[in-house]
Amino acid sequence: MMKENLRKLIICFMLAVGFLLISSSDAAVSENIWEKITAINKKGPYLGIVVPNSFEMSPLLQSPSFVPLKALPYLDFAGKRFRFGRVENESVIVVMTGLGMWNAGITTQLLVSLFNIKGILHFGIAGNANSELQIGDVTIPMYWAHTGLWNWQRFGDGSDDELALESNGDYTREIGYLKFSDFNTNTSVDNLLNRVWFQPEEVFRIDGIPEIRQHAFWIPVNDRYFSLAKNLEGLELGACANNTTCLPRRPKVIRVERGISSNIFVDNAAYREFLNSKFNATAIDMESAAVGLVCLQQRIPFITMRALSDLAGGGDSSMSNEANTFAPLAANNAVDVLVAFISLLNTRQW
């Protein structure tokens, strides 16, 4: 424990020196901003709450559970607004990422680099790849993967042919592929798009050797967080979008095995079914894996809570693809689960 505390102090000192040197040369962080960051960090550590957009963030900010810090309710830096406050008597920093993997990764890295963060809670809405679940259900996956990193195979090559640069260790066939011709309506016709092979991310851990890469495809959430989340499974969630439009059953909190992310909004039933059968995926979104990858590299515990807003690509049920109607309900349910989870953390004195 002493070694870990010493390591953190050294890192904070190096960051402080670096930022002050930068600020003196009229660059990234001004002396005024750094003074505010230093003052905030003295009151830490904090839970970092990361959310994709204002539509999903607003129910939290409007909740009586969120109490802004009066002295300094927020700090704007690098195009991001970091909001300081308390949720269920736990000190938090709330930040909105914007759409997609790039924004989510950059924002999370800024959060953990600038502030004294002890854990990351990520929440929002998601598409659903599991037709056995319903709109409004809040999923808490054990693993996340980025499924938008591909090696696109040359037309004419088969599954046994080596991929370009595979021999260098840059790419792999271990995870598997999507073959476009499997989705042709005329199965006798080849598809010029051939195959894409799913690839792991390169990871450079904070306690590893710089520029020596490791690889990660399935990113685990924190074991303790995931275990604690089981206590949320009986939580009562909203079931009605308005006075006349309600879901067939009351939504539930459910821990699932896997969620996936990529810079793709999935509204296609064939691809949804592929993702579910290939990866056993439930929640489909555009940010969670990026948040998880940063936390993996920085050794920060994290967990994601995603409320299902639609069955990606639609289905037979009238309740299968009603994102426009039920997205606000899903967003509110995600916030309810987030607040309940923070209450559990606070009660357990983690």
Side-chain angles (χ1 to χ4, degrees), residues 162-194:
E162 188 176 277
L163 300 176
L165 304 179
E166 184 179 0
S167 59
N168 295 337
D170 294 332
Y171 297 99
T172 178
R173 287 172 291 166
E174 290 181 1
I175 298 168
Y177 60 82
L178 182 153
K179 185 179 180 182
F180 288 96
S181 61
D182 287 345
F183 300 90
N184 289 353
T185 54
N186 184 345
T187 56
S188 65
V189 179
D190 263 347
N191 191 309
L192 295 175
L193 295 176
N194 200 6

Side-chain angles (χ1 to χ4, degrees), residues 35 45 78 85 88 113 137 140 182 196 227 242 281 287:
E35 286 177 356
E88 296 296 298
S113 295
D137 289 344
I140 304 177
D182 287 345
V196 292
S227 177
N242 50 52
E287 294 87 18

Side-chain angles (χ1 to χ4, degrees), residues 243-273:
N243 291 333
T244 59
T245 307
C246 295
L247 294 164
R249 65 162 171 81
R250 183 167 291 278
K252 59 186 178 181
V253 182
I254 180 169
R255 297 187 305 167
V256 298
E257 185 177 11
R258 293 173 175 176
I260 59 171
S261 308
S262 66
N263 286 322
I264 303 166
F265 184 89
V266 178
D267 194 19
N268 181 278
Y271 191 55
R272 171 196 81 217
E273 291 168 2

Side-chain angles (χ1 to χ4, degrees), residues 75-219:
L75 178 68
D76 293 340
F77 178 74
K80 305 296 179 183
R81 175 162 289 184
F82 298 92
R83 302 171 187 268
F84 312 112
R86 298 186 73 81
V87 174
E88 296 296 298
N89 208 34
E90 186 74 50
S91 296
V92 300
I93 302 177
V94 182
V95 61
M96 189 189 83
T97 67
L99 181 70
M101 298 283 285
W102 165 258
N103 281 319
I106 286 287
T107 306
T108 305
Q109 185 63 62
L110 277 172
L111 177 64
V112 301
S113 295
L114 293 173
F115 298 104
N116 183 4
I117 300 297
K118 62 183 177 180
I120 296 289
L121 310 182
H122 179 53
F123 78 97
I125 63 175
N128 176 25
N130 182 353
S131 59
E132 294 182 2
L133 296 183
Q134 177 191 263
I135 289 172
D137 289 344
V138 179
T139 61
I140 304 177
M142 183 186 299
Y143 297 97
W144 285 92
H146 175 205
T147 56
L149 187 59
W150 295 349
N151 184 312
W152 208 313
Q153 196 170 25
R154 182 177 299 182
F155 178 70
D157 285 353
S159 59
D160 294 329
D161 292 316
E162 188 176 277
L163 300 176
L165 304 179
E166 184 179 0
S167 59
N168 295 337
D170 294 332
Y171 297 99
T172 178
R173 287 172 291 166
E174 290 181 1
I175 298 168
Y177 60 82
L178 182 153
K179 185 179 180 182
F180 288 96
S181 61
D182 287 345
F183 300 90
N184 289 353
T185 54
N186 184 345
T187 56
S188 65
V189 179
D190 263 347
N191 191 309
L192 295 175
L193 295 176
N194 200 6
R195 293 175 180 80
V196 292
W197 293 80
F198 296 95
Q199 300 300 315
E201 289 277 3
E202 291 185 351
V203 175
F204 301 89
R205 297 179 189 266
I206 191 173
D207 51 0
I209 301 173
E211 299 182 356
I212 301 300
R213 65 184 177 181
Q214 299 177 45
H215 289 95
F217 187 73
W218 290 112
I219 308 146

Side-chain angles (χ1 to χ4, degrees), residues 267-285:
D267 194 19
N268 181 278
Y271 191 55
R272 171 196 81 217
E273 291 168 2
F274 168 82
L275 293 174
N276 182 253
S277 62
K278 174 70 178 175
F279 297 117
N280 191 27
T282 297
I284 308 172
D285 70 23

